């Protein structure tokens, strides 16, 4: 990563920060389980099922971000495209789940990561591999 231009290093940091933030946010929901039950008026089993679904999706997105970021660092241009597609799917998922402070932070991280991923320096960096 030492030879990567600054926009690539920033993008990588943002993608990894997004993955970690998603995992921490997902874990944090389990600590708020009682509050979720109280506010929603749902049974304990319904809340558990909901949290399990959110956890599976959160871990899946975090794993995809980690894996694709690693490939992006290996200068795989398709990984940039895949990161963006996963990010758009994640943003749509967050809009379906609902607005919260954590979701807004996640959306911000994703948007800024996409901007840095598609900067000209990042594109040139991945193109250099194809030219060799």
């Amino acid at each position: 990563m030492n030879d990567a231009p600054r926009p690539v290093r920033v993008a990588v940091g943002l993608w990894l920060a997004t993955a970690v933030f998603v995992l921490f946010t997902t874990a944090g929901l389990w600590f708020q389980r009682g509050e979720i039950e109280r506010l929603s008026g749902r049974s304990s089993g319904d809340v558990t099922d909901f949290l399990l679904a959110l956890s599976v999706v959160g871990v899946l997105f975090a794993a995809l971000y980690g894996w694709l970021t690693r490939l992006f660092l290996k200068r795989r241009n398709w990984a940039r495209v895949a990161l963006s597609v996963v990010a758009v799917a994640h943003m749509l998922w967050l809009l379906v789940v609902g607005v919260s402070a954590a979701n807004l932070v996640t959306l911000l991280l994703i948007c800024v990561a996409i901007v840095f991923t598609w900067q000209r320096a990042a594109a040139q960096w991945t193109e250099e591999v194809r030219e060799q």
Side-chain angles (χ1 to χ4, degrees), residues 52-92:
L52 281 173
L54 287 179
S55 297
V56 167
V57 173
V59 168
L60 179 66
F61 277 121
L64 284 170
Y65 287 138
W67 177 61
L68 291 170
T69 299
R70 186 170 184 258
L71 292 173
F72 177 43
L73 272 175
K74 291 184 176 185
R75 294 182 169 193
R76 305 290 198 284
N77 193 46
W78 65 266
R80 286 186 331 140
V81 176
L83 275 167
S84 299
V85 169
V86 168
V88 168
H90 192 183
M91 287 189 286
L92 292 173

Side-chain angles (χ1 to χ4, degrees), residues 38-59:
R38 188 182 65 74
L39 289 173
S40 68
R42 301 282 185 175
S43 69
S44 177
D46 287 346
V47 171
T48 299
D49 291 342
F50 176 71
L51 290 176
L52 281 173
L54 287 179
S55 297
V56 167
V57 173
V59 168

Side-chain angles (χ1 to χ4, degrees), residues 29 58 62 79 122 128:
L29 287 173
E128 288 173 3

